[in-house]
């Protein structure tokens, strides 16, 4: 599960619906003969468990075949359970299968000339489901998608957040939300960011006792931005919030042998908390990141109570503390803390191990020496934007040391700032220590994200909560032990009875629930069993994240069995959709994303265990020489090769503002006098310079030379080095790679590829990966540098290529139509020997049409 910072957002449901034809000539998405005449979002919530059915109906008003798209943005905590398309009265359903079986069926379909029709992407809080189909003139198509999720309570309310974006006026548009809560409903509200004064009265809200209903059904005229406009006002967020009655701290509901237990006591005294902030101040945090961190910490200090204890630990290359031990948050100490926070600045590398261990040692000492109250909640919040590279840097070793040191006494919350972090490592370490991980997205609201997360954990009310049930009567119990209970939240435990002897807790409950079952607009009959399955799968997947060996295999088997039985699309299953022969025989696969994995595999299958994240606007080259450009908003990549002769030097990055340039010299095979048109070429030498600092770094497969003014320093790849001097940070990981940053700007990872010395053809060569490229200016150019600016593209007309496993397509980019091929390139950062396959759209002919100008424009005279 992924959680989102900010008040009342983690239980949100996000829906974006578009159905339109793509007109490709100008790379614009426009309505072109396709009319969406009906769109309905039907949500039924029963005991916090939501089943959402999204239905969109469209007709082709044109006189030729048109491609219709259906897009839905789902919450990351939701599981798709059903999808179908109905074309001219014939329904084509989706089937949920084990991932590998689904992939094989998909590839079989592709080999027969069928094309992909289903893709996915991921945003901050959502996953994107997209399907398209070509329909004949005057034909109609109905798309129907069902997904389920458990709404989580935060800040005293459950929230359903619906993102509405039909992109055209819709004759029959409706949002319908029905809620049934056996405990009774105390409040219900609905609002929308796009709701004008005229639309306010269109929202119909009613609730009494156990039932609530929200309806939003604007007419065509009410949807218009102005009296005679064709643009739709419906573009934004529609939010439903509610809460339930609590006459007792808990509520038990039992249906058909399954139970759910909700526990949310109120009016408890707040526990004092002991909180340690462990903050990364390495050079990569410089600029906006450290400014936003300071801003968030200052706001957090305003919310700390005077019976709390706190401290700050900063880690760069070294570890610094504000105070030697935890101190009470008196007004005087808080003033001093604010002064300390305002002075936080960046320096050095990333000694993550040293920082986190210092925090644990400080908390241990505070409890042993009775510095903090016995009845108090201790919390560690760590923020980092990079990967450990000073002290112990092996992530498995760090996890083992941290787990041993905490002994389960304190929850550890890990916040990963941006895309350069090893999120998988942070998540595993947090889960092993009764906490959770959260990604902080680098944006203008990053400070609010940080503060929002703190708000979630800032009010512990109970510690070490454990709910007990009769062992001989209960099986399949979900998590029933919790380190902390936070104000405004709710603990949910579900299970099943070993026999059918136990029924409803009271006759009155039984009669009321039986009556509700007859009112199908408010309830679906197997909801508690499905809630149990949902919660069980969610928690097993969480355990699986940190598991290894036989334990992981057993958890995988259990999740897969439940996913198939209850028809949930999870990271271990996929939904296969095969479209009819008359409509291009299209087939596709829907996958469930996991946080920390950003593989977008052309509707194939994501790989849940690949620890790869694309940094923001990342570009890289590696190999012979191939270039990979990530496109984050598409969750996809574009790749191309450059074929030139050995000895040529290519301009890769050139930023006149920061003064940073990167050039690369090609080398060829060992064959003497070979045909330069047929031999492979690689990057054998790189020149990285910062003219403002008068720094030059030359990297070959044999040595690394640093020239600072007139002074020269040289290292070999056999050295293990951490070097810091004014404006330069250099780390050499012996015979593997080096990490280089200049002037607090972008960082570069250079990978050494060593081949067998007696290999008849190949030589050692280099690969370059850029990190934090957003710290370069907008004037940056070069073969790589031009792609540090946002780009967008559209893929159309996917069809079989010369290789049945690599379909071709038309790419619309920069107002051009390019023929591209789906393929894979290697990313060697994590595995320098074998690499990791990255799916991408391959642009032929030296990137023609993709790169500015032609590739020969980038040949320069020398490395510097």
């Amino acid at each position: 599960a992924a959680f989102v910072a900010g008040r009342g957002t983690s239980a949100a449901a996000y829906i974006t619906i578009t159905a339109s034809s793509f007109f490709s000539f100008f790379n614009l998405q426009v309505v072109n003969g396709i009319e969406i005449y009906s769109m309905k979002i039907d949500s039924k919530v029963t005991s916090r468990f939501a089943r959402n059915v999204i239905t969109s109906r469209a007709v082709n008003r044109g006189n030729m075949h048109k491609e219709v798209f259906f897009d839905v943005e789902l919450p990351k905590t939701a599981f798709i359970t059903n999808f179908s398309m109905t074309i001219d009265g014939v329904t084509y359903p989706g089937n949920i299968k084990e991932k590998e079986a689904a992939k094989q069926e998909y590839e079989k379909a592709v080999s027969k000339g069928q094309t992909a029709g289903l893709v996915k992407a991921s945003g901050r809080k959502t996953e994107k489901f997209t399907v398209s189909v070509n329909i004949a003139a005057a034909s109609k198509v109905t798309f129907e998608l069902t997904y389920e999720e458990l709404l989580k309570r935060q800040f005293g309310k459950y929230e359903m957040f619906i993102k509405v974006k039909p992109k055209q006026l819709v004759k029959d548009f409706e949002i319908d939300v029905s809620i049934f809560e056996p405990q009774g409903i105390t409040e219900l509200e609905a609002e929308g960011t796009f709701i004008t004064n005229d639309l306010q009265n269109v929202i119909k809200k009613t609730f009494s006792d156990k039932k609530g209903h929200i309806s939003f059904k604007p007419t065509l005229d009410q949807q218009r931005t102005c009296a005679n406009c064709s643009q739709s006002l419906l573009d934004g967020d529609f939010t439903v919030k509610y809460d339930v009655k609590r006459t007792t701290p808990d509520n038990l509901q039992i249906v058909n042998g399954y139970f759910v237990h909700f526990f949310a006591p109120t009016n408890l005294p707040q526990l004092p908390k002991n909180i340690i902030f462990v903050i990364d101040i390495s050079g990569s945090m410089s600029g906006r990141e450290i400014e936003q961190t300071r801003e968030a910490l200052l706001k957090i200090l305003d919310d700390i109570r005077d019976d709390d204890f706190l401290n700050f630990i900063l880690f760069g290359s070294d570890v610094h503390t504000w105070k030697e031990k935890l101190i009470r948050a008196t007004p005087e100490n808080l003033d001093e803390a604010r002064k300390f926070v305002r002075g936080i600045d960046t320096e050095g590398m990333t000694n993550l191990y040293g920082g986190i261990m210092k925090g644990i040692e400080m908390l241990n000492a505070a409890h042993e020496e009775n510095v903090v109250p016995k009845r108090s909640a201790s919390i560690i919040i760590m923020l980092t934007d990079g990967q450990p590279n000073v002290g112990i840097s092996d992530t498995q070793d760090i996890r083992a040391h941290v787990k041993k040191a905490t002994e389960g006494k304190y929850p550890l919350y890990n916040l990963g700032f941006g895309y350069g972090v090893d999120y998988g490592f942070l998540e595993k370490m947090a889960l092993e220590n009764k906490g959770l991980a959260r990604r902080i997205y680098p944006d203008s609201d990053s400070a609010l994200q940080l503060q929002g997360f703190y708000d979630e954990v800032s009010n512990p009310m109970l510690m070490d909560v454990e709910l007990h049930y009769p062992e001989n009567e209960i099986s399949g119990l979900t998590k029933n032990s919790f380190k902390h209970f936070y104000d405004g939240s709710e603990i949910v435990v579900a299970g099943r009875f070993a026999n059918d002897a136990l029924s409803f807790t009271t006759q009155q409950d039984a009669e009321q629930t039986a009556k509700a079952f007859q009112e199908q607009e408010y309830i679906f009959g197997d909801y508690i069993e499905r809630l149990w399955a949902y919660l069980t799968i969610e928690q097993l997947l969480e355990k699986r994240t940190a598991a290894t060996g036989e334990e992981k295999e057993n958890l995988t088997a259990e999740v897969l069995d439940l996913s198939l039985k209850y028809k949930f699309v999870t990271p271990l299953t996929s939904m296969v959709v095969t479209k009819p022969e008359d409509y291009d025989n299209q087939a596709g696969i829907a996958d469930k994303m996991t946080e920390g994995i950003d593989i977008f595999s052309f509707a194939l299958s994501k790989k849940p265990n690949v620890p790869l994240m694309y940094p923001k606007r990342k570009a890289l080259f590696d190999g012979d020489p191939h270039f990979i450009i990530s496109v984050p908003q598409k969750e996809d990549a574009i790749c191309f090769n450059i074929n030139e002769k050995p000895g040529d030097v290519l301009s890769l990055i050139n930023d006149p503002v920061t003064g940073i340039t990167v050039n690369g010299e090609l080398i060829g095979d060992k064959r003497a006098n070979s045909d330069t048109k047929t031999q492979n070429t690689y990057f054998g030498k790189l020149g990285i310079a910062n003219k403002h600092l008068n720094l030059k770094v030359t990297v070959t497969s044999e040595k690394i030379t640093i020239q600072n003014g007139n002074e020269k320093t040289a290292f070999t790849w056999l050295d293990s080095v951490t070097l810091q001097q004014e404006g330069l940070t250099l780390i050499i990981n012996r015979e593997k790679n080096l990490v280089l940053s200049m002037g607090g700007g972008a960082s570069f990872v250079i990978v050494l590829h060593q081949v067998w010395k007696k290999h008849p053809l190949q030589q050692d060569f280099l690969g370059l990966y850029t990190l934090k490229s957003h710290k370069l200016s907008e004037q940056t150019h070069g073969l790589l540098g031009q792609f540090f600016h946002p780009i967008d593209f559209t893929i159309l007309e996917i069809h079989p290529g010369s290789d049945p496993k690599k379909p071709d397509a038309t790419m619309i980019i920069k107002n051009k139509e390019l023929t591209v091929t789906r393929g894979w390139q290697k990313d060697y950062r994590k595995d320098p020997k074998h690499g990791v396959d990255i799916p991408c759209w391959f642009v032929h002919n030296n990137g023609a049409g993709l790169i500015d100008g032609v590739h020969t424009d980038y040949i320069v005279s020398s490395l510097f």
Side-chain angles (χ1 to χ4, degrees):
F3 299 86
V4 183
R7 289 189 174 271
T9 57
S10 71
Y14 304 80
I15 304 172
T16 300
I17 304 184
T18 64
S20 59
S21 172
F22 276 64
F23 181 61
S24 63
F25 185 74
F26 291 110
N27 192 28
L28 294 175
Q29 180 177 332
V30 299
V31 177
N32 181 33
I34 297 296
E35 177 191 345
I36 309 168
Y37 62 90
S38 175
M39 187 177 296
K40 184 171 182 180
I41 303 159
D42 183 22
S43 298
K44 289 182 172 60
V45 183
T46 305
S47 295
R48 293 73 148 169
F49 194 61
R51 174 178 289 176
N52 305 282
V53 180
I54 304 160
T55 306
S56 181
R57 294 180 170 90
V59 60
N60 182 359
R61 299 293 188 193
N63 55 8
M64 63 181 69
H65 276 72
K66 298 284 184 182
E67 191 170 20
V68 183
F69 283 75
F70 172 71
D71 298 327
V72 180
E73 289 188 53
L74 310 173
K76 286 183 175 179
T77 51
F79 294 142
I80 293 172
T81 59
N82 191 39
F83 173 74
S84 66
M85 291 184 301
T86 301
I87 303 173
D88 291 336
V90 181
T91 299
Y92 304 91
N95 297 305
I96 294 175
K97 299 187 176 185
E98 186 272 330
K99 187 174 291 291
E100 190 58 35
K103 181 180 177 183
Q104 290 174 5
E105 182 172 329
Y106 168 83
E107 291 179 342
K108 182 179 179 181
V110 170
S111 69
K112 291 181 178 180
Q114 300 171 333
T115 59
L118 198 61
V119 296
K120 350 194 25 294
S122 175
R124 265 198 202 184
K125 313 161 188 174
T126 60
E127 297 169 352
K128 189 174 183 181
F129 173 99
T130 304
V131 65
S132 67
V133 64
N134 282 300
I135 61 171
S139 287
K140 293 182 178 181
V141 59
T142 298
F143 301 102
E144 184 174 286
L145 178 75
T146 304
Y147 69 90
E148 296 175 5
E149 66 165 337
L150 177 65
L151 302 182
K152 294 179 175 64
R153 186 172 185 254
Q154 277 188 311
F155 306 109
K157 291 182 182 178
Y158 308 96
E159 182 178 279
M160 183 172 284
F161 175 80
I162 301 171
K163 195 169 185 67
V164 180
K165 197 179 181 70
K167 296 188 178 180
Q168 61 172 269
L169 301 174
V170 179
K171 181 180 179 181
D172 182 16
F173 180 92
E174 183 177 8
I175 296 174
D176 191 272
V177 180
S178 298
I179 303 169
F180 179 82
E181 287 289 349
Q183 290 173 258
I185 299 172
T186 58
E187 56 181 314
L188 177 64
E189 57 188 79
E191 59 187 14
T193 57
F194 55 86
I195 299 296
T196 62
N197 290 334
D198 292 336
L199 281 178
Q200 193 66 50
N201 294 329
V202 180
I203 300 176
K204 305 299 182 184
K205 177 187 71 171
T206 60
F207 77 95
S208 63
D209 196 21
K210 303 178 190 308
K211 299 176 183 178
H213 185 253
I214 298 287
S215 175
F216 177 66
K217 193 173 182 179
T219 65
L220 276 174
D221 286 340
Q222 288 170 331
Q223 294 174 44
R224 300 180 192 276
T225 53
C226 62
N228 298 312
C229 295
S230 60
Q231 287 84 18
S232 175
L233 271 173
L234 307 185
D235 185 358
D237 307 332
F238 188 86
T239 306
V240 175
K241 296 180 182 180
Y242 76 94
D243 200 17
V244 301
K245 294 177 183 175
R246 286 183 173 81
T247 55
T248 60
D250 59 349
N251 176 260
L252 182 69
Q253 299 176 27
I254 308 167
V255 177
N256 297 337
Y258 289 83
F259 76 88
V260 60
H261 187 190
F262 300 105
F263 179 70
T266 56
N267 300 318
L268 294 174
Q270 288 188 337
L271 285 173
K273 60 181 177 293
N274 317 307
I275 185 164
I276 292 185
F277 298 94
V278 182
I279 307 297
D280 182 349
I281 60 164
S282 62
S284 58
M285 283 283 291
S286 64
R288 189 165 70 165
E289 284 92 336
I290 201 67
E291 291 173 7
Q292 291 174 323
T293 301
R294 286 194 295 259
E295 179 185 346
L297 290 175
L298 287 170
K299 290 178 179 177
I300 287 169
L301 285 172
D302 292 338
D303 293 332
I304 289 180
R305 301 190 307 270
D306 61 4
D307 58 349
D308 294 337
F309 284 73
L310 78 155
N311 206 340
F312 295 96
I313 295 173
L314 312 179
F315 64 91
S317 296
D318 301 313
V319 176
H320 309 280
T321 62
W322 171 45
K323 299 291 184 181
E324 289 304 311
K325 60 182 181 180
L326 282 161
I327 67 165
R328 188 163 178 168
T330 63
E332 295 77 17
N333 287 337
L334 286 175
D335 285 341
E336 189 178 342
R338 292 183 183 97
K339 183 177 180 181
F340 175 80
V341 167
R342 291 187 185 101
I344 293 176
D345 207 350
T346 58
E347 60 88 17
M349 308 304 291
T350 309
N351 187 359
L352 185 149
Y353 170 78
I356 193 68
M357 289 301 292
K358 183 68 175 177
I360 297 168
E361 291 166 5
M362 190 175 288
L363 268 182
N364 286 338
H367 283 277
E368 290 167 4
E369 299 168 9
N370 295 318
V371 173
V372 297
K374 285 187 176 181
R375 190 181 178 278
S376 60
S378 294
I379 300 168
I380 299 175
I381 297 178
M382 182 183 71
L383 172 70
T384 182
D385 78 330
Q387 301 183 30
N389 51 35
V390 175
I392 296 179
S393 58
D394 182 274
T395 55
Q396 288 189 339
D397 287 349
I398 295 174
R399 284 170 50 199
H401 284 289
V402 168
K403 187 175 182 180
K404 183 178 179 181
T406 65
E407 297 179 329
K409 291 180 294 206
Y410 329 113
L412 170 62
Y413 296 107
N414 291 331
L415 305 182
F417 203 135
Y419 301 94
V421 296
D422 184 343
Y423 190 85
F425 155 62
L426 296 181
E427 183 177 39
K428 289 174 183 177
M429 186 165 65
L431 292 174
E432 288 170 340
N433 294 280
K434 301 186 177 181
L436 58 88
R438 180 76 55 81
R439 187 181 299 282
I440 302 299
Y441 291 84
D443 211 333
S444 58
D445 68 342
S446 295
L448 291 176
Q449 294 177 56
L450 288 166
Q451 188 184 2
F453 174 79
Y454 172 79
D455 289 343
E456 292 178 39
V457 300
S458 63
N459 292 310
M461 311 297 283
L462 294 172
M463 294 187 302
D464 300 317
V465 180
E466 191 163 345
L467 304 176
H468 293 274
Y469 305 88
E471 291 184 10
N472 296 330
E473 298 180 23
I474 301 297
S475 65
L477 190 66
T478 62
K479 180 180 176 182
N480 67 322
S481 177
F482 305 86
K483 188 62 186 174
H484 290 156
F485 167 74
Y486 294 102
D487 188 26
S489 67
E490 182 175 65
I491 288 173
V492 184
V493 180
R496 57 189 176 189
F497 294 107
N499 55 63
D500 296 327
L502 191 59
S503 60
F504 294 93
T505 51
T506 69
Q507 183 62 29
Q508 184 182 11
D509 285 341
E511 292 173 356
Q512 289 179 345
T513 306
K515 183 180 178 182
F517 272 111
Q518 297 171 8
E519 303 176 18
Q520 289 298 315
E521 72 270 21
Y522 281 98
I523 197 165
F524 43 101
D526 57 351
Y527 76 99
I528 287 187
E529 181 178 353
R530 295 192 67 80
L531 187 157
W532 166 83
Y534 170 96
L535 201 56
T536 300
I537 291 171
E538 185 182 60
Q539 292 175 1
L540 289 174
L541 285 169
E542 190 176 274
K543 285 184 182 178
R544 183 177 176 270
T545 299
T548 57
E550 185 177 352
E551 181 189 8
K552 186 164 190 172
E553 291 178 8
N554 293 337
L555 289 169
T556 298
E558 196 172 352
V559 171
L560 180 59
D561 181 61
L562 286 170
S563 300
L564 293 173
K565 179 179 179 179
Y566 290 96
K567 301 188 183 303
F568 287 137
V569 176
T570 70
L572 302 180
T573 55
S574 296
M575 180 182 289
V576 185
V577 182
T578 303
K579 302 176 190 175
E581 256 182 54
D582 292 341
Y583 296 92
D584 291 344
N585 283 337
Q586 297 175 337
I589 291 179
D591 284 339
K592 174 72 181 166
M593 304 290 288
T594 55
E595 179 62 73
I597 301 115
D598 215 16
I599 304 288
F600 176 88
S601 188
F602 174 60
L604 283 174
S605 154
K606 73 175 182 298
K607 303 167 185 174
N609 295 319
V610 179
L612 172 69
M613 274 303 297
Y614 279 135
K616 186 177 181 182
R617 294 199 295 273
K618 189 203 71 170
L620 60 91
F621 71 73
D622 213 333
D624 51 349
H626 63 248
F627 295 74
I628 306 177
I629 312 300
S630 82
V631 185
Q633 67 269 30
K634 294 288 188 183
E635 304 297 335
D636 205 350
I638 303 172
C639 49
F640 62 95
N641 288 352
I642 295 295
N643 301 305
E644 274 303 320
K645 61 183 182 296
D648 282 344
V649 179
L650 300 176
S651 171
L652 304 174
I653 300 169
N654 184 3
D655 182 5
V657 176
T658 64
I660 291 177
T661 61
V662 182
N663 296 327
E665 182 177 326
L666 298 175
I667 59 172
D669 293 337
K670 293 178 180 178
R671 294 173 292 188
N673 302 317
S674 60
D675 184 354
T676 58
K677 293 183 179 180
T678 60
Q679 74 165 307
N680 294 322
T681 54
Y682 311 87
F683 280 103
K685 186 184 294 186
L686 293 172
I688 304 172
N690 186 322
K691 66 179 182 181
H692 298 332
L693 300 175
N694 200 18
L695 273 174
K696 294 180 181 178
V697 179
T698 305
V699 183
T700 70
S701 59
E702 296 177 348
K703 65 180 181 178
I704 302 98
T705 305
I706 302 169
Q707 184 172 346
N708 190 346
N710 295 322
E711 297 181 6
K712 279 191 177 183
T713 308
F715 303 98
T716 73
W717 284 99
L718 294 174
D719 297 319
S720 291
V721 174
T722 299
L723 175 68
Q724 289 181 273
Q725 57 187 52
E726 187 175 355
L728 173 69
T729 300
L730 176 74
I731 303 170
I732 301 175
N733 297 305
R734 179 186 171 99
E735 294 189 289
K736 291 182 179 179
N737 59 50
L738 68 84
V739 183
L740 172 71
S741 62
M742 291 180 171
S747 299
F748 306 99
V749 179
I750 299 171
V751 175
L752 172 66
H753 295 281
Q754 292 181 307
V755 301
W756 181 42
K757 297 303 180 186
K758 295 183 180 180
H759 194 288
L761 296 178
Q762 290 186 349
Q763 302 186 62
D764 293 348
F765 62 95
L766 305 172
L768 174 74
Y769 299 77
T770 61
L771 305 174
K772 295 189 174 295
S773 56
H774 60 284
K775 293 200 171 185
L776 295 171
S777 79
E778 294 183 357
Q779 297 181 38
T780 304
H781 209 265
L783 276 171
L784 284 179
Q786 64 189 288
F787 298 107
F788 297 159
H789 318 300
I791 59 172
D792 197 9
F793 65 87
T794 298
I795 295 295
L796 302 171
E797 302 169 5
I798 302 168
H799 56 276
S802 56
D803 183 337
K805 291 187 177 181
K806 296 181 179 181
D808 287 345
T810 299
M811 174 183 284
I812 310 300
I813 189 167
K814 296 182 177 180
N815 295 335
K816 300 173 186 175
E817 292 190 13
L818 308 180
T819 298
V820 294
T821 301
R822 193 59 174 179
W824 291 266
Q825 297 283 26
K826 293 284 189 182
D827 184 318
Y828 291 96
R829 286 177 299 162
K830 293 288 183 182
D831 186 349
K833 186 175 182 181
H834 303 102
V836 174
D837 285 330
I838 302 299
C840 60
W841 291 107
F842 183 80
V843 179
H844 302 272
N845 302 321
N846 293 296
L850 171 67
I851 63 173
D852 294 338
V854 295
H855 74 282
T856 52
D857 295 339
Y858 299 88
I859 298 176
V860 294
S861 59
S862 68
L863 278 182
F864 299 106

Short mmCIF file of all heavy atoms in Angstrom, two decimals, residues 97-99 537 555-565 570 572-573:
data_model
loop_
_atom_site.label_atom_id
_atom_site.label_comp_id
_atom_site.label_asym_id
_atom_site.label_seq_id
_atom_site.Cartn_x
_atom_site.Cartn_y
_atom_site.Cartn_z
N LYS A 97 -5.57 -13.68 -14.47
CA LYS A 97 -4.73 -14.87 -14.46
C LYS A 97 -3.41 -14.59 -13.76
O LYS A 97 -3.05 -13.42 -13.55
CB LYS A 97 -4.45 -15.33 -15.90
CG LYS A 97 -5.69 -15.70 -16.69
CD LYS A 97 -5.33 -16.30 -18.04
CE LYS A 97 -6.58 -16.76 -18.78
NZ LYS A 97 -6.23 -17.44 -20.04
N GLU A 98 -2.70 -15.66 -13.44
CA GLU A 98 -1.34 -15.51 -12.91
C GLU A 98 -0.51 -14.76 -13.93
O GLU A 98 -0.66 -14.92 -15.13
CB GLU A 98 -0.76 -16.90 -12.62
CG GLU A 98 0.59 -16.89 -11.94
CD GLU A 98 1.74 -16.85 -12.93
OE1 GLU A 98 1.56 -17.38 -14.05
OE2 GLU A 98 2.79 -16.28 -12.59
N LYS A 99 0.38 -13.90 -13.44
CA LYS A 99 1.07 -12.95 -14.30
C LYS A 99 1.80 -13.60 -15.48
O LYS A 99 1.69 -13.17 -16.63
CB LYS A 99 2.05 -12.12 -13.47
CG LYS A 99 2.68 -10.98 -14.26
CD LYS A 99 3.51 -10.10 -13.37
CE LYS A 99 2.66 -9.33 -12.41
NZ LYS A 99 1.83 -8.31 -13.09
N ILE A 537 -4.70 -9.78 1.50
CA ILE A 537 -3.76 -9.65 0.38
C ILE A 537 -2.86 -8.43 0.58
O ILE A 537 -1.64 -8.51 0.39
CB ILE A 537 -4.54 -9.53 -0.95
CG1 ILE A 537 -5.21 -10.87 -1.29
CG2 ILE A 537 -3.60 -9.10 -2.09
CD1 ILE A 537 -6.16 -10.78 -2.47
N LEU A 555 4.63 -16.75 0.96
CA LEU A 555 3.76 -15.57 0.90
C LEU A 555 3.27 -15.33 -0.52
O LEU A 555 2.11 -14.98 -0.74
CB LEU A 555 4.52 -14.33 1.40
CG LEU A 555 4.79 -14.29 2.91
CD1 LEU A 555 5.78 -13.16 3.23
CD2 LEU A 555 3.50 -14.10 3.69
N THR A 556 4.16 -15.53 -1.50
CA THR A 556 3.79 -15.36 -2.90
C THR A 556 2.66 -16.32 -3.28
O THR A 556 1.68 -15.93 -3.92
CB THR A 556 5.01 -15.58 -3.81
OG1 THR A 556 6.01 -14.61 -3.50
CG2 THR A 556 4.63 -15.46 -5.28
N ALA A 557 2.82 -17.57 -2.88
CA ALA A 557 1.81 -18.58 -3.21
C ALA A 557 0.46 -18.22 -2.57
O ALA A 557 -0.60 -18.37 -3.19
CB ALA A 557 2.28 -19.95 -2.74
N GLU A 558 0.49 -17.73 -1.32
CA GLU A 558 -0.74 -17.40 -0.62
C GLU A 558 -1.44 -16.20 -1.27
O GLU A 558 -2.66 -16.20 -1.46
CB GLU A 558 -0.42 -17.09 0.84
CG GLU A 558 -1.63 -17.11 1.75
CD GLU A 558 -1.27 -17.00 3.23
OE1 GLU A 558 -0.06 -17.08 3.57
OE2 GLU A 558 -2.20 -16.82 4.03
N VAL A 559 -0.66 -15.16 -1.62
CA VAL A 559 -1.24 -13.99 -2.29
C VAL A 559 -1.83 -14.37 -3.64
O VAL A 559 -2.94 -13.95 -4.00
CB VAL A 559 -0.18 -12.88 -2.46
CG1 VAL A 559 -0.72 -11.75 -3.34
CG2 VAL A 559 0.24 -12.32 -1.12
N LEU A 560 -1.10 -15.16 -4.39
CA LEU A 560 -1.56 -15.57 -5.73
C LEU A 560 -2.88 -16.34 -5.63
O LEU A 560 -3.81 -16.10 -6.40
CB LEU A 560 -0.49 -16.40 -6.42
CG LEU A 560 -0.83 -16.90 -7.84
CD1 LEU A 560 -1.12 -15.71 -8.76
CD2 LEU A 560 0.31 -17.73 -8.39
N ASP A 561 -2.95 -17.27 -4.67
CA ASP A 561 -4.16 -18.07 -4.51
C ASP A 561 -5.37 -17.19 -4.19
O ASP A 561 -6.44 -17.33 -4.81
CB ASP A 561 -3.94 -19.10 -3.39
CG ASP A 561 -5.16 -19.99 -3.19
OD1 ASP A 561 -5.54 -20.69 -4.14
OD2 ASP A 561 -5.73 -19.97 -2.08
N LEU A 562 -5.22 -16.26 -3.26
CA LEU A 562 -6.32 -15.37 -2.90
C LEU A 562 -6.68 -14.42 -4.04
O LEU A 562 -7.85 -14.13 -4.28
CB LEU A 562 -5.95 -14.57 -1.65
CG LEU A 562 -5.98 -15.33 -0.31
CD1 LEU A 562 -5.37 -14.48 0.79
CD2 LEU A 562 -7.40 -15.73 0.05
N SER A 563 -5.65 -13.91 -4.76
CA SER A 563 -5.90 -12.97 -5.86
C SER A 563 -6.73 -13.62 -6.96
O SER A 563 -7.63 -13.00 -7.52
CB SER A 563 -4.57 -12.48 -6.44
OG SER A 563 -3.80 -11.81 -5.46
N LEU A 564 -6.41 -14.88 -7.27
CA LEU A 564 -7.15 -15.59 -8.31
C LEU A 564 -8.55 -15.96 -7.84
O LEU A 564 -9.52 -15.86 -8.59
CB LEU A 564 -6.39 -16.84 -8.74
CG LEU A 564 -5.05 -16.59 -9.46
CD1 LEU A 564 -4.31 -17.90 -9.68
CD2 LEU A 564 -5.27 -15.88 -10.79
N LYS A 565 -8.65 -16.39 -6.57
CA LYS A 565 -9.96 -16.79 -6.04
C LYS A 565 -10.94 -15.62 -6.02
O LYS A 565 -12.11 -15.77 -6.39
CB LYS A 565 -9.79 -17.37 -4.64
CG LYS A 565 -11.11 -17.80 -4.00
CD LYS A 565 -10.89 -18.40 -2.62
CE LYS A 565 -12.23 -18.80 -1.98
NZ LYS A 565 -12.05 -19.39 -0.64
N THR A 570 -3.49 -7.88 -8.70
CA THR A 570 -2.44 -7.54 -7.73
C THR A 570 -1.10 -7.60 -8.44
O THR A 570 -1.04 -7.93 -9.62
CB THR A 570 -2.47 -8.54 -6.55
OG1 THR A 570 -2.03 -9.82 -7.02
CG2 THR A 570 -3.88 -8.66 -5.96
N LEU A 572 0.87 -9.85 -8.54
CA LEU A 572 1.15 -11.23 -8.97
C LEU A 572 0.17 -11.73 -10.01
O LEU A 572 0.28 -12.87 -10.48
CB LEU A 572 1.12 -12.17 -7.75
CG LEU A 572 2.10 -11.83 -6.63
CD1 LEU A 572 1.97 -12.84 -5.50
CD2 LEU A 572 3.53 -11.80 -7.14
N THR A 573 -0.82 -10.92 -10.36
CA THR A 573 -1.80 -11.32 -11.36
C THR A 573 -1.94 -10.23 -12.41
O THR A 573 -1.53 -9.09 -12.20
CB THR A 573 -3.18 -11.58 -10.72
OG1 THR A 573 -3.57 -10.41 -9.99
CG2 THR A 573 -3.14 -12.77 -9.79
#
